[in-house]
Amino acid sequence: MASSITLEKIVKRFGAFPVVHGIDLKIEPGEFTVFVGPSGCGKSTLLRMIAGLEEISEGDLRIDGERVNETAASKRGIAMVFQSYALYPHMSVYKNLAFGLETAGYKKPEVQERVQKAADILQIGPLLQRKPKALSGGQRQRVAIGRAIVREPKIFLFDEPLSNLDAELRVQMRVEIAKLHQTLGSTMIYVTHDQVEAMTMADKIVVLRDGRIMQVGRPLDLYNNPANQFVAGFIGSPKMNFLSAKVASGDSSNRTIEVAGRRIVLEKPVAAAQGEPLTFGVRPEHVNPQAPASLGEASIQLVEHLGGSTVVYTATPDGQAATVLLDGQRQIRIGETIPFAFDLSQTHLFGADGRRI
Ligand code: ATP
């Protein structure tokens, strides 16, 4: 049965130094939640507090409504998969999977049944007699996940489990973990700094920065409606373009903004003071030379032909760097220009404090 997890005003200090500043979060039973953020944002610390590997300085952690701050890690019904597989090198794959159950006192038939079931789910049956050194990185990570599965935990925690794998294998394992979630239906929390992993795997993404939640939401909600400039820049690849802007002087309706030296009239008034420095955001894939609103001709500085798409690095007429992502293959060259145009409904505006307005 899947469990809920609730964090109430969770604080973590190392000595006097706070690194997690009062996190409130509800994770529903069976949800796949991804903690994502840049290095040092506190995502691993948060996961380790949930696992019981790190003491909670303040606040309440609840699993299925019950406070577990002081509950030992082994009693929380949680299994964790780490970046380093931490397999026992002298034991076979079978023994690696069985060992924890045997020491916990499970009888042989039960151990065999659980190992076989995990091996079936992960398709590692043919590898059971091998030693870890005879496995590829992806196979080792599958065994590490298997070791979590045999415990039949209520909650799975993954701490950057794919970081040691090459790009192709990461994609493959990403799909396998997503399938595993569908098969088991367990509550899972997955930590990564990779926004693509977050977007592709999560039911719910928690974006963290400097020990604070910047936004919680479904992947496409974060993409379409980022709450702030940080989330807007973090989610999506290539990154959203940010251009300096301000409310145009002399416009009493507050609907005209100046972006890259051009005036643009918005549908609604902007909730910002005249002269306040604003940031105008538009994603590279939303720049469309045929669209109605335009900042004029951007000069092309570099072109990447990826086959399925073309990435164009440009400079706006006033010299700000801006990326354009076009579908398919394009005959365009450095030194030419491209209309930097877009649909206003696909643009964003951020205040001086970074909040979307
Ligand atoms: P990464 O992706 O680099 O692992 P992260 O987001 O997981 O980063 P954490 O490992 O949770 O970040 O660390 C959050 C902050 O807490 C960092 O500033 C880190 O230096 C600090 N920190 C982590 N562990 C300790 C510790 N044992 N003692 C002191 N400070 C620590």
Side-chain angles (χ1 to χ4, degrees), residues 114-304:
R114 287 195 186 200
V115 170
Q116 195 53 53
K117 196 168 143 198
D120 288 345
I121 291 172
L122 296 166
Q123 297 173 353
I124 52 172
L127 307 179
L128 286 174
Q129 299 317 318
R130 288 202 203 164
K131 294 269 171 62
K133 69 172 184 312
L135 301 177
S136 71
Q139 290 168 334
R140 280 179 213 174
Q141 190 51 281
R142 241 171 266 160
V143 177
I145 295 170
R147 217 164 35 178
I149 295 176
V150 293
R151 296 178 50 197
E152 300 184 356
K154 292 189 289 181
I155 298 165
F156 285 80
L157 305 180
F158 296 92
D159 194 357
E160 304 241 13
L162 309 185
S163 301
N164 290 341
L165 305 179
D166 65 39
E168 194 182 337
L169 206 49
R170 284 175 77 109
V171 174
Q172 195 184 326
M173 287 301 292
R174 202 165 83 196
V175 174
E176 288 192 18
I177 292 175
K179 277 195 200 150
L180 182 70
H181 177 244
Q182 280 173 9
T183 308
L184 301 178
S186 315
T187 307
M188 296 188 176
I189 306 179
Y190 187 103
V191 162
T192 180
H193 60 270
D194 180 348
Q195 63 92 20
V196 177
E197 278 182 14
M199 289 297 282
T200 52
M201 299 172 85
D203 295 318
K204 177 150 92 192
I205 298 180
V206 180
V207 183
L208 293 158
R209 180 196 197 184
D210 296 340
R212 291 190 170 83
I213 291 182
M214 300 306 285
Q215 192 170 2
V216 178
R218 286 177 298 185
L220 291 183
D221 289 342
L222 300 197
Y223 176 90
N224 292 327
N225 299 305
N228 49 61
Q229 195 176 335
F230 180 78
V231 173
F234 195 78
I235 300 288
S237 178
K239 214 166 121 71
M240 185 185 285
N241 293 303
F242 294 125
L243 301 172
S244 58
K246 62 179 190 217
V247 176
S249 55
D251 170 25
S252 56
S253 70
N254 240 40
R255 281 177 54 209
T256 311
I257 55 167
E258 263 179 47
V259 186
R262 285 283 180 125
R263 287 186 161 226
I264 290 180
V265 181
L266 304 176
E267 280 165 17
K268 287 190 233 140
V270 183
Q274 278 205 355
E276 180 184 336
L278 305 176
T279 301
F280 177 85
V282 59
R283 294 194 184 279
E285 57 272 36
H286 292 152
V287 178
N288 167 10
Q290 281 87 45
S294 176
L295 297 182
E297 293 289 318
S299 60
I300 296 171
Q301 320 239 296
L302 192 71
V303 184
E304 289 175 353

Side-chain angles (χ1 to χ4, degrees), residues 6-13 20-24 49 55-62 67-70:
T6 313
L7 283 67
E8 292 166 7
K9 306 209 166 16
I10 295 285
V11 172
K12 177 65 187 179
R13 280 184 291 267
V20 172
H21 307 268
I23 298 275
D24 287 306
M49 284 193 281
E55 207 174 296
I56 297 169
S57 306
E58 268 177 49
D60 296 319
L61 171 67
R62 297 180 194 281
R67 189 175 185 277
V68 294
N69 289 43
E70 280 80 38

Side-chain angles (χ1 to χ4, degrees), residues 45-99:
T45 302
L46 205 52
L47 197 73
R48 292 170 58 79
M49 284 193 281
I50 295 170
L53 302 175
E54 200 74 75
E55 207 174 296
I56 297 169
S57 306
E58 268 177 49
D60 296 319
L61 171 67
R62 297 180 194 281
I63 296 178
D64 293 328
E66 194 183 319
R67 189 175 185 277
V68 294
N69 289 43
E70 280 80 38
T71 306
S74 59
K75 299 275 185 293
R76 294 190 188 188
I78 285 175
M80 192 154 166
V81 179
F82 299 91
Q83 178 180 343
S84 61
Y85 322 120
L87 303 178
Y88 300 112
H90 57 288
M91 292 182 190
S92 66
V93 168
Y94 180 92
K95 195 72 179 169
N96 263 284
L97 295 174
F99 186 67

Side-chain angles (χ1 to χ4, degrees), residues 14 17 19 37-46 54 160 191 193:
F14 286 109
F17 187 67
V19 295
S39 183
C41 69
K43 50 197 187 299
S44 297
T45 302
L46 205 52
E54 200 74 75
E160 304 241 13
V191 162
H193 60 270

